[in-house]
Each structure stands twice: as structure tokens, then as C-alpha cells.
Amino acid sequence: MKNIFKKSGLLVGASMLAFSCSDFEEINVDPTAATAEQVQVEYFINNSIGGAQQDPHIAERVFVLYWKDAGRMDRIGTLSEGFQSDSWTSDYYNGYVSAWLRNITTGIKIADDQIAAGNVKEYTNNLKQVARIWRVYIMSEMTDNFGPIPINGFQGENPEYNNVKDVYYYMLSELKEATAELDLTIVNPGGLSDLDPAYGYDYGKWKKYGNSLRMRLAMRLSEVDASKAQEEFEDAAKGEYISSLADNFKVQEVPGWNSYTGVMTRQWNNQYLSTALNNLMIGLGGVPSHDQLAADKHSSIKPANYIGLKYEDHFTSKTNDPSAGYWFDGLHNTMDPRAYDLYKIPGDFNDPNFNKYPSWSSAATTTQRPLIIGEQDNEENGETNDIQVEATNSWNAMVGGDWGAKGSNNRLAYPGTLPRLSHKYRNSEAQRIFFGSWESYFLLAEASVRGWDVPMGGKEAYEMGITESFEYSGVSQHLSAYLSSQDYNRAGTSVSWTHTAEPPATVTMNYINGYTGLPGTVEFKYPDNTIYKGGAVKNDLLTKIITQKFIAQTPWLPLETWSDHRRLGLPFFENPAVENPLPDLPALNASNFMTNSVKFYGQRLKFPSNFSNNVPDGYQQAVSQLGGPDEVLTPLWWAKQN
């Protein structure tokens, strides 16, 4: 049951682009052979956006295996268990230094040179501001993964590595200046819009994105530099921001193998429903599954107080997942309406968005799996020690970690038995979201809760964020009932803004013993998220906001859900199972797994070995600015430290 890719030959066989010292010197030199007067700024912007979209090689390693795991949008077992691969990280880091940051920084330099020489087009200055805004996004992605980065890199000089605080101050300043200098009256020539895959050089939308991005980055400082965070956020929120789905920063994915191929398309990545997301969506909003699903599913819907089949010898109990130990042999009575859009019910093969990857295997369409209750089957003598479990019309998420002997005998972690991401997000026909309108509203809601001066109240912003998310998922018909719901999810949080009563200590729930078929009851206890207000608070306004933000960001923005959790400890993330110790999470053990700690999940990516080996002085300078050792478990400056 140790669902991990650490040893998978599918992933470690790719070659790594290692940099020599001379390569690192080259990245600070103009990479073009043409003169500044001949080069077009828009080409550099286009290439940088395309590169950051991530081709399948990088996307699998970074977006899926790192971010989706760390952001709890998948069950993989990398950063969530303190693990990273140096080769994957090297591929990603090299993507920055070989292309993305170099291209966009060179574009800015070319624009500056052309402006200085008077060799400009009417729109050249606008392109420069667009490039500055996009460069901030690339820098934010890099610093939120690694920590210290060079502000002055790729500018014709040896870069100095800056600490995270200085990087954030620089990024916020860049966004303020760049958005202010955009001229919205400029009319572009024909053909220019084709070179901007996000907005087609609609400068009004770029300005909105710049302001929304500034709000995101300002909020990142809320716990460590509150006055700066407030100052920057309030100023950005005075301007226009991404407020509708039409304004979203999104890039069209395409089939094949190139920079625009979908980030979640690799068929061998199962894209399971995560335990963290499942606990947030079960019961949230009080919308009956009966009202959401076709009639052929209604007989599978279970009572609200039913927790499932108990298999204590096959399901781990050494985790603080509140649903641990049970197999849910049906569909939940009520469910967040976005759940059935995002993930597909096992066995629902007629759903056009049911994902049948890998296409060369029947794994996704096999719903009956055994629990082994003996040492092994003796098929030659016609004997079997299996309990056959049918997963059709069931809904489960398996916690990660090490399940020990229980996992060895449990065969249910299989593509056909668990909800997996809808095919529409995996077929390279979607538009990848880099910033959604819902995020602007949830940021405004959080700012309001903090007492900052923003253009709308917390309740209005919160409900607008949910509204935008529901519209995106196509479930707006359930919005009114959802917003008024006082029902708790498995983490003890409700939807209604005015309902802040804490859940009861326990709730009596029914179960069936999976081995004997006998019914029983259990006192279900909502989890204590001890890294947020000591675990005493489960349903305050901030928890509501981040819960909704997490669901809305799925599946496109796992880096943001990881960052929110690092910043706040929200929403509740269960600990991986520790039936056996996890070597990369030494602080988590069988005596403390019911508590949460920042030491129980990955905080960052280590710098790759080709950086430390080839540029030792630069590496030492970067680490000196980190505030701790170059380890996965070292928190970044803006994150919770304990």
C-alpha cells in the first residue's frame, strides 16, 4: 500500500541536463545572435509562457509528482512524505535557467535597449510591462519552490542570491510599476495577439492579472510581515482584478508532446482523489447526492450517518485521517457538487468523462478486487482466502504513507476501484488555469477578515468566490442551497458564512463489520488540526475561506494549495500512515500521528546537485539566505515555522 513513485522505472529513466560552470555563465549573456534592433520582444514572451506551461516530461515530475502531492490533490507519496528526486528537481531547475527566466528577462532587456535607441513600435513599452508581470510569476514559482533566488539573474552579470523576503519585495514592486505603466489605449497590429497564448495581448486583462497576482503575493506575507502585506494588498485591490471567468489567466492545452500538451496527460499517473480533498467535500454544503446523480446511482446512496465497512486488519489506523479504517461501499448521502464534476465514480463507464487510462490495460475498468486474509491463495487446490470487494458505485480515498502488513494484503488501491480525475482535465483539450477569478474573491474575503480596507465585505467576496467556482464546474443550480448550508464536512467545517458554531466533539455513526457482516456504531471524532490555533478551531471564517479556495483551485493550482497550507496550516491535511516509520519524515511516528506539525510534510525543494556541484559559491550563498539547511523540511520565510 505504499503508493510511491520513488523506485518507478517509468520516471527515473529520463536523462538529466546538467550544467557546467560555463553554462551558468552563458545564462547571463544575451542568447540571441541578432542585434537588439532586430529582435522582437513578443517572441521572448511567447517562448517563456510556452515553456512554463510545462511539457509532459517536466509536468509529470513537477506539476503531478511534486505539486499535486504536496498540495494534496493526489496520493503519490513524494513531498507529502518528505521525499524528492534530485533528477526531477534538476530537470525543473534547469528549465528555469535554460529557458523560462532567461527568455523573459532577455525580452525585457531587448525592450529597454530598443526604447533607449528610439527604435520602438507604439506597443513596445506595453510588451515590456507584460514581460515584467510574467517574469514575476516565474520568479514566484521558483522562490516558492526553492527559496532564495537571484533578483538580478540573466542580466549580463554574475547573480547574487537574495533571501525570500527581498525577492518578494522586489516582485511586489515590479507588479505595482508594471501595471501602472500599461497603456490601455494602445491598438495592436494584426497578428500580434497570436503570440500571447494567455490574453492575446489584451492589456486590460494583463493589468487585471498583474493586480490579482500582486494580491496573491501580498497575502503570502500575511503571517510574517502583516503591515507590508496589508499595504500592498490594499493598493492592488483598488485597481481592476480578475473578477470573472472571462478574465482568467488560462492557456489552451493541445495533444501530442510539446510545451502546450496537458500537464496531467501521462496515462500511468492515476490522478486519484486525495484523502484531504475527500474529507473536505463529504457532506459539505448539504446537497443530496440524490439530486446530483442519475437514477441508476440512487440505490447506492447511503444514509448520512453511515461510515462504511470496517476492515481493521486491512486498513491503516495509524493516521489522523478521520475516515481511516473504513471502506465506503456506496455513495455519500450529501456531497459538495463539484466532487462529481472533478472525479468520476468507479464503474461509471458510460460517463463520457470517465477516465480509462492506461489505455493499454483493463485496470481502470476492473472494479472487483480482493482483500487477502491468508498468507496467499492456494488456487491449485481450489481454495481461496480472498474477500472480494466490489467497487462499482463506491467512493473512497486512501491515505498515503506506509500501511505495513495491512497494505500488503489490501488490493483496493487500484485504478478501477477509486475515484479518479475526470477525463476532461486529462485529454489535452482543456485550458490550464494559472489564475482563476475565484481566487481573487477568496483573497478579498481573507483580507476583509483580517480587517484590511478592500472593496467588498468578507461575506460578499466569499460567496462570489464560490459562485465563480460553481459556474466553472457547471453546478450553479445547487448554489443557493449550498451557500446556506450548516452541515459539517469530515474536517468539521460548514459553508454558511454566518454559521461559525464549532462541530460537536463526536458524532455517532453506523458501520458494518466487513468480515462478519455485523452492524456496529462508532463515535466519529472530527480531526484536531493542531497547527492551526492549537486544533481548537475548525469552523471559523478563515477555515471556511481556505476550504473553499482549496476545492476551487482543484485541479489546476496545487502549488497554491501547498503554499496556503505552508502559510496557514489550512485546510486540514491528514498525516501519512506510519504502520512502519517513514525514513524521510523522522519526526512523525507511531506515538504522535494524531497531531499535526510542519515537520510532517515537505516544505520546499532542495537545490539540485548540479547547482551545488558546478557553482559551489553560488550554492553556498543561496543556502546562507535560506535560514536553515538545504533540506525538504526547512520552511520558507513566509511559512509557518513550527
Side-chain angles (χ1 to χ4, degrees):
M1 183 58 68
K2 190 160 178 60
N3 185 16
I4 192 75
F5 283 84
K6 296 173 185 176
K7 299 179 180 179
S8 172
L10 290 170
L11 299 174
V12 299
S15 62
M16 182 180 71
L17 295 173
F19 277 143
S20 67
C21 293
S22 60
D23 290 320
F24 274 93
E25 292 171 1
E26 283 183 21
I27 66 177
N28 288 311
V29 179
D30 183 357
T32 65
T35 66
E37 289 76 17
Q38 297 171 315
V39 175
Q40 302 302 310
V41 178
E42 52 267 36
Y43 296 142
F44 289 93
I45 298 173
N46 181 263
N47 287 339
S48 181
I49 294 176
Q53 177 75 11
Q54 300 184 7
D55 66 34
H57 176 83
I58 294 293
E60 181 180 27
R61 284 146 182 78
V62 177
F63 190 95
V64 176
L65 299 181
Y66 279 161
W67 295 350
K68 289 199 73 179
D69 178 74
R72 294 304 206 279
M73 290 186 188
D74 203 343
R75 175 191 179 275
I76 297 169
T78 52
L79 289 168
S80 66
E81 297 178 27
F83 171 83
Q84 77 163 46
S85 162
D86 183 64
S87 65
W88 305 347
T89 305
S90 294
D91 288 348
Y92 178 49
Y93 196 82
N94 294 350
Y96 279 110
V97 295
S98 65
W100 310 344
L101 267 176
R102 177 177 61 184
N103 276 331
I104 201 63
T105 304
T106 303
I108 295 169
K109 182 178 185 302
I110 293 296
D112 283 336
D113 290 346
Q114 291 177 348
I115 291 170
N119 179 33
V120 295
K121 301 178 177 65
E122 186 180 13
Y123 56 87
T124 298
N125 184 63
N126 268 7
L127 294 187
K128 174 187 172 181
Q129 309 316 321
V130 166
R132 293 172 75 187
I133 293 169
W134 178 247
R135 182 172 186 261
V136 166
Y137 170 75
I138 295 293
M139 292 179 70
S140 73
E141 187 178 298
M142 190 175 190
T143 189
D144 288 348
N145 277 277
F146 295 100
I149 62 171
I151 289 174
N152 65 344
F154 313 95
Q155 297 182 18
E157 59 186 55
N158 291 328
E160 297 288 327
Y161 277 78
N162 302 92
N163 62 47
V164 175
K165 179 179 180 179
D166 288 346
V167 173
Y168 261 81
Y169 273 47
Y170 174 79
M171 293 190 298
L172 291 167
S173 175
E174 280 288 281
L175 289 173
K176 181 177 182 178
E177 292 179 9
T179 53
E181 292 183 25
L182 279 170
D183 184 349
L184 304 189
T185 67
I186 296 297
V187 177
N188 292 322
L192 182 64
S193 62
D194 295 338
L195 295 174
D196 174 6
Y199 286 138
Y201 284 117
D202 182 327
Y203 300 120
K205 290 185 176 181
W206 271 103
K207 190 181 188 76
K208 292 178 183 180
Y209 174 59
N211 286 328
S212 285
L213 183 57
R214 189 176 169 207
M215 288 159 56
R216 173 195 284 177
L217 299 184
M219 189 60 75
R220 196 88 83 227
L221 309 187
S222 61
E223 301 301 297
V224 295
D225 197 348
S227 60
K228 179 66 171 178
Q230 179 176 357
E231 173 192 351
E232 294 285 347
F233 192 100
E234 290 178 347
D235 189 62
K238 291 176 182 177
E240 289 190 274
Y241 47 81
I242 295 175
S243 60
S244 69
L245 300 182
D247 295 334
N248 286 357
F249 192 111
K250 54 188 181 292
V251 176
Q252 179 64 51
E253 296 180 331
V254 298
W257 185 290
N258 58 59
S259 292
Y260 293 98
T261 300
V263 288
M264 294 176 280
T265 55
R266 298 308 90 191
Q267 292 200 31
W268 47 84
N269 298 144
N270 289 313
Q271 308 282 349
Y272 290 127
L273 169 66
S274 75
T275 302
L277 181 57
N278 197 37
N279 283 325
L280 296 183
M281 294 192 298
I282 294 173
L284 188 65
V287 180
S289 290
H290 184 280
D291 295 346
Q292 303 182 53
L293 301 173
D296 64 324
K297 305 291 188 300
H298 290 179
S299 62
S300 298
I301 298 172
K302 300 293 185 178
N305 65 340
Y306 177 69
I307 197 170
L309 297 174
K310 185 176 182 179
Y311 290 112
E312 61 185 9
D313 295 331
H314 292 80
F315 284 78
T316 182
S317 59
K318 291 186 177 179
T319 170
N320 58 350
D321 169 21
S323 307
Y326 299 91
W327 170 263
F328 199 80
D329 55 328
L331 301 172
H332 292 280
N333 193 266
T334 60
M335 181 70 81
D336 188 296
R338 291 163 291 187
Y340 298 127
D341 172 68
L342 287 166
Y343 294 88
K344 294 304 164 182
I345 298 169
D348 196 9
F349 306 133
N350 293 325
D351 187 326
N353 278 310
F354 184 91
N355 180 266
K356 297 180 181 179
Y357 288 164
S359 58
W360 55 84
S361 167
S362 63
T365 54
T366 302
T367 59
Q368 192 176 75
R369 298 290 292 167
L371 296 178
I372 309 300
I373 61 173
E375 291 296 324
Q376 67 180 58
D377 293 351
N378 189 349
E379 295 180 358
E380 292 182 1
N381 297 327
E383 299 176 2
T384 180
N385 291 315
D386 294 359
I387 296 175
Q388 296 292 334
V389 177
E390 175 58 56
T392 298
N393 291 345
S394 64
W395 191 272
N396 293 272
M398 302 282 197
V399 68
D402 193 318
W403 286 39
K406 295 180 179 182
S408 299
N409 288 333
N410 188 327
R411 309 299 175 85
L412 288 175
Y414 198 73
T417 65
L418 300 174
R420 295 191 304 158
L421 191 64
S422 173
H423 190 63
K424 68 180 180 180
Y425 298 113
R426 304 198 61 190
N427 60 7
S428 283
E429 295 180 5
Q431 293 175 312
R432 178 182 168 187
I433 304 291
F434 283 80
F435 202 110
S437 53
W438 51 81
E439 184 177 347
S440 293
Y441 289 115
F442 291 130
L443 287 168
L444 288 166
E446 181 175 348
S448 178
V449 168
R450 293 180 180 277
W452 299 353
D453 183 12
V454 289
M456 65 175 61
K459 181 177 186 292
E460 180 185 1
Y462 170 78
E463 293 185 348
M464 280 299 299
I466 297 173
T467 300
E468 291 292 299
S469 176
F470 268 50
E471 182 179 349
Y472 179 77
S473 295
V475 294
S476 297
Q477 69 271 26
H478 302 296
L479 179 64
S480 179
Y482 185 87
L483 290 175
S484 63
S485 171
Q486 298 183 3
D487 291 1
Y488 298 106
N489 62 15
R490 289 280 172 90
T493 308
S494 66
V495 175
S496 171
W497 180 261
T498 58
H499 178 246
T500 56
E502 289 294 307
T506 60
V507 176
T508 301
M509 300 193 76
N510 298 325
Y511 71 87
I512 295 175
N513 186 304
Y515 306 118
T516 67
L518 295 175
T521 62
V522 63
E523 292 303 307
F524 174 88
K525 185 179 186 302
Y526 293 101
D528 294 328
N529 184 9
T530 51
I531 52 175
Y532 180 70
K533 297 187 176 181
V537 177
K538 302 175 178 65
N539 196 37
D540 65 348
L541 295 178
L542 187 55
T543 303
K544 291 177 185 290
I545 292 166
I546 302 302
T547 294
Q548 292 296 332
K549 188 179 178 185
F550 183 105
I551 298 171
Q553 301 283 45
T554 306
W556 296 115
L557 289 152
L559 178 57
E560 284 308 303
T561 59
W562 181 30
S563 293
D564 274 339
H565 191 80
R566 287 182 288 175
R567 175 173 66 97
L568 297 168
L570 292 172
F572 171 74
F573 282 2
E574 80 291 340
N575 291 325
V578 285
E579 297 288 342
N580 293 314
L582 298 175
D584 297 312
L585 288 180
L588 177 65
N589 55 57
S591 67
N592 64 9
F593 63 82
M594 291 302 293
T595 63
N596 291 90
S597 169
V598 300
K599 298 179 181 179
F600 294 173
Y601 59 94
Q603 297 286 325
R604 59 179 290 272
L605 295 178
K606 294 172 59 177
F607 290 111
S609 60
N610 60 354
F611 176 37
S612 58
N613 292 337
N614 294 334
V615 193
D617 290 343
Y619 171 73
Q620 290 299 327
Q621 184 187 62
V623 174
S624 72
Q625 300 282 8
L626 181 59
D630 182 21
E631 300 292 346
V632 172
L633 298 176
T634 298
L636 298 179
W637 166 68
W638 47 259
K640 292 180 72 72
Q641 302 298 305
N642 51 54

